[in-house]
Amino acid sequence: ASDLAGDWMIADFDDSGWDVGLAPFWYGDGAGGTVLSDMQGNYTTLYLRGDFSAENVQELKELLFYIDYDDGFVLWVNGEEVLRQNAPSVLNYNALAPVNHESGVPETFFIDSSSVNLFEGTNSLAVQLFNMSLSSTDIHFKISIKATPALPELDSLISPLSFSQNAGFYESPFELTISTPDSGMQIIYTLDCSDP
């Protein structure tokens, strides 16, 4: 990839001549997916492109990226950089990750959807993956994406909620009652941030 065009990460870049493979991309540490059997001793970076679909993008609050990686990466969505971890300052074809980072436990990265230029429908994802050295014994990359919608906000002037206790910190347990004068309203809540 020493002569790869500088705009390789944009959405309409022609990648029809690229090899195609399944994630995870790895050698030395992983299973399934695409084994990079020629990487060790030959090249230190890997360029990945793919598409994903998004619906009702105006209603999304944040994107969750679950990424298992070794050693570093930069991620673009629709040509705009949205995330970098353990990546060098200059993104050359022969660049190196600054320090070692082992894969095995995916990390979760939360990104506010307002900072990502999402399109309704098809979106492009581009990744440059970095190994720590040319002789490194392993590399690994796998990603999945989840989006969470923004919860509808209740207009307190139309349907005010009443709480039997004021907000604050308490030393002992108490019973909390939530009520509304709107008899047609159903109050749904959660105590652990899960879907109620």
Side-chain angles (χ1 to χ4, degrees):
S2 59
D3 59 353
L4 183 62
D7 64 349
W8 68 273
M9 75 289 291
I10 66 172
D12 58 357
F13 178 80
D14 181 9
D15 58 10
S16 59
W18 287 33
D19 292 334
V20 177
L22 298 174
F25 296 88
W26 65 279
Y27 75 81
D29 186 14
T34 302
V35 182
L36 306 168
S37 56
D38 65 337
M39 186 171 187
Q40 188 177 24
N42 292 312
Y43 54 97
T44 60
T45 64
L46 181 67
Y47 297 86
L48 303 168
R49 289 178 51 86
D51 293 330
F52 66 95
S53 182
E55 297 178 2
N56 304 314
V57 296
Q58 297 302 321
E59 298 176 11
L60 300 180
K61 179 180 181 182
E62 62 185 0
L63 301 177
L64 284 70
F65 292 89
Y66 302 97
I67 305 177
D68 193 5
Y69 67 99
D70 177 340
D71 287 296
F73 68 89
V74 178
L75 186 147
W76 293 264
V77 172
N78 296 323
E80 295 184 4
E81 183 180 325
V82 296
L83 181 62
R84 67 169 55 205
Q85 290 294 118
N86 196 31
S89 56
V90 179
L91 308 180
N92 291 333
Y93 75 95
N94 58 355
L96 301 171
V99 297
N100 182 52
H101 180 277
E102 288 298 326
S103 60
V105 179
E107 296 181 27
T108 304
F109 301 94
F110 297 86
I111 299 179
D112 190 302
S113 62
S114 64
S115 65
V116 180
N117 184 28
L118 279 181
F119 303 144
E120 190 71 24
T122 302
N123 292 263
S124 72
L125 179 73
V127 177
Q128 187 173 2
L129 181 63
F130 303 93
N131 215 337
M132 187 181 167
S133 73
L134 195 60
S135 59
S136 173
T137 58
D138 59 3
I139 196 167
H140 188 98
F141 189 82
K142 185 175 182 179
I143 184 172
S144 61
I145 307 170
K146 179 181 178 181
T148 58
L151 296 176
E153 294 185 10
L154 180 66
D155 187 340
S156 60
L157 297 177
I158 297 174
S159 300
L161 292 177
S162 300
F163 297 86
S164 61
Q165 296 282 342
N166 292 325
F169 295 94
Y170 293 87
E171 296 292 330
S172 57
F174 59 87
E175 187 173 304
L176 176 67
T177 303
I178 306 171
S179 58
T180 175
D182 185 346
S183 61
M185 178 181 291
Q186 181 182 14
I187 300 172
I188 300 173
Y189 65 93
T190 179
L191 298 177
D192 61 2
C193 298
S194 63
D195 292 331

